[in-house]
Amino acid sequence: MSGAVVVDAPGRHRLVPHEPVAPGPGEALVRVHAVGICGSDREVYQGNRPEGYVRYPLTPGHEWSGTVAAVGAGVPGTLAGRKVVGEGFRNCQVCDRCHAGETTLCTAGYEETGFTRPGAMAPTLTLPARLLHVLPDGADLTAAALLEPAACIAAAALKADARPGERVAVVGTGTLGMFAVQFLKAVSPLDLLVVGTRRDREALSRRFGATGFRTRDEDLPDDVDVVVETAGSASAARTAASLLRRGGRLVLTGIPAPGAAGLDPTDLVVRQLEVHTVFGAPPEAWAHAVRVFGAGLLDPLPLVTHELPLSEFPQAIELVGAGDPKVGKVLLRP
């Protein structure tokens, strides 16, 4: 078969011959249709992903879509031929956090497809079938390759618990921010404000349902009921908290670099703000994202600006980190 990407060490990669790994008991073999690149993949290649959250040599790729080619013993044969996406976290299934459904917090330790286990930057991927989510037969697999980041925002949307008629806001205008706009729009808010640093994202924000758009240096409201932060910049959390009314709800999803400005605990207590955080997507969030996607309420395709072959992995990594406003989501195609 064609090659797979292997990152041997920070800054060093190869395209190697690839042979499918036959699925063992409880596993499925998936033909990869497309795999997305995000900032964490760039961290893997550059070598600045936190210790313990990557294991070299590695085939990256945690955002993907594909079709089940074969299944192992104990897996229903009807899964073969179905379009799927899959969870990345390889949870133990037996600790208290796993039993509570919080699989991203598994106490057995961190294991994730594309970071500590072989990922999808290859023609095929073999993984536990229990991690798969089946898509409608007519699903667009290119669009579905973005369902991993969508699932992370689905987790934020569930924690935010926005209700019809509330004032809501999104801080951040990247892929996660645009998904947050779509999830929040689906609950029929009174207002949906997007706050970002790039005025060129206003049109896309409004296309997805935003009723207002402001940059961070403009006058911002302080009466918002729910804010979802997706930017991950040093000041994003404080900006997000400043938008809230007293008793408002905040969900943080961004992971800033060390040294970011923290939230003021006095402000949190005096205004009685409700703060949640999201790390990855548990099964409930994946199921929610797939359901919303299948219902036609989530449109990932406008976020895709580049599709490249696996052989152009280094060029794709450069695109993701170039800061070019014309670069959105970059996909690799085996």
Side-chain angles (χ1 to χ4, degrees):
M1 298 188 70
S2 59
V5 173
V6 173
V7 178
D8 289 308
R12 291 170 43 203
H13 82 283
R14 295 174 289 145
L15 197 65
V16 303
H18 174 79
E19 288 296 333
V21 177
E27 293 184 329
L29 170 68
V30 177
R31 287 193 304 272
V32 177
H33 173 82
V35 54
I37 295 181
C38 81
S40 55
D41 295 304
R42 185 173 169 84
E43 289 176 353
V44 167
Y45 189 59
Q46 292 182 326
N48 50 15
R49 187 162 173 81
E51 185 177 356
Y53 288 86
V54 63
R55 188 179 303 140
Y56 301 101
L58 173 72
T59 294
H62 61 287
E63 303 178 3
W64 57 269
S65 64
T67 303
V68 177
V71 297
V75 180
T78 53
L79 191 60
R82 299 302 304 274
K83 295 178 179 180
V84 293
V85 290
E87 300 175 33
F89 284 81
R90 306 293 187 92
N91 55 296
C92 75
Q93 303 183 79
V94 296
C95 73
D96 64 338
R97 290 303 86 208
C98 286
H99 280 303
E102 297 176 340
T103 54
T104 64
L105 304 179
C106 176
T107 60
Y110 172 77
E111 295 284 348
E112 186 176 4
T113 299
F115 297 107
T116 64
R117 301 289 187 93
M121 291 188 190
T124 70
L125 173 66
T126 300
L127 74 168
R130 63 181 173 81
L131 299 177
L132 298 179
H133 290 261
V134 177
L135 302 172
D137 290 338
D140 184 325
L141 282 176
T142 300
L146 277 68
L147 284 180
E148 192 276 341
C152 295
I153 293 301
L158 291 171
K159 289 192 175 186
D161 191 26
R163 296 147 202 172
E166 287 191 313
R167 290 182 169 86
V168 301
V170 174
V171 174
T173 59
T175 298
L176 297 181
M178 294 300 96
F179 277 134
V181 172
Q182 295 183 65
F183 275 108
L184 292 173
K185 176 62 177 178
V187 301
S188 301
L190 175 64
D191 299 310
L192 204 176
L193 172 67
V194 173
V195 178
T197 59
R198 292 167 44 184
R199 179 60 68 178
D200 63 291
R201 298 295 277 185
E202 179 174 4
L204 189 58
S205 299
R206 291 186 182 276
R207 173 177 174 178
F208 287 141
T211 59
F213 185 98
R214 298 185 191 180
T215 58
R216 293 186 195 177
D217 56 358
E218 294 181 284
D219 289 336
L220 298 175
D222 59 3
D223 61 350
V224 177
D225 297 295
V226 178
V227 178
V228 175
E229 178 275 323
T230 68
S233 62
S235 61
R238 286 206 173 202
T239 297
S242 72
L243 299 173
L244 287 165
R245 63 164 172 81
R246 299 188 72 182
R249 306 189 297 284
L250 171 63
V251 184
L252 304 175
T253 72
I255 303 178
L263 297 176
D264 180 354
T266 301
D267 180 58
L268 296 181
V269 174
V270 170
R271 291 203 290 142
Q272 198 171 311
L273 300 183
E274 184 178 322
V275 181
H276 298 271
T277 61
V278 168
F279 175 61
E284 179 188 23
W286 271 97
H288 184 49
V290 170
R291 184 168 53 248
V292 172
F293 175 69
L297 299 174
L298 201 62
D299 185 12
L301 275 181
L303 301 174
V304 178
T305 58
H306 294 75
E307 295 183 55
L308 305 172
L310 279 180
S311 59
E312 295 188 26
F313 168 74
Q315 293 92 323
I317 290 291
E318 287 184 13
L319 280 172
V320 170
D324 186 340
K326 296 180 180 180
V327 177
K329 196 65 183 179
V330 178
L331 299 182
L332 293 176
R333 299 288 294 270

